[in-house]
Amino acid sequence: MSKKPVKATLTTATIEEQTAAFLKAGGSVEYVGKGKSGQFASAGSKQIDLKSN
């Protein structure tokens, strides 16, 4: 009989530790305004045509 894998739970402490480590390693946090996306569109829309000739 095998044991089920235990899911890691994120706590506020681990998130704060990870954030501190990220910033200490030279990472940066960028503010994104409300209603904006932090992702850049590298290409146009990706529409597909379901009608084949």
Side-chain angles (χ1 to χ4, degrees):
M1 292 178 230
S2 63
K3 292 183 179 181
K4 290 185 179 180
V6 178
K7 279 190 174 180
T9 56
L10 287 178
T11 62
T12 304
T14 57
I15 293 172
E16 289 175 355
E17 290 169 0
Q18 290 175 354
T19 304
F22 172 75
L23 294 173
K24 187 176 181 180
S28 65
V29 177
E30 188 177 319
Y31 176 77
V32 177
K34 185 175 181 179
K36 302 271 184 181
S37 174
Q39 297 180 351
F40 298 105
S42 60
S45 63
K46 296 180 180 177
Q47 295 180 351
I48 59 171
D49 186 12
L50 298 176
K51 295 181 182 179
S52 299
N53 290 338

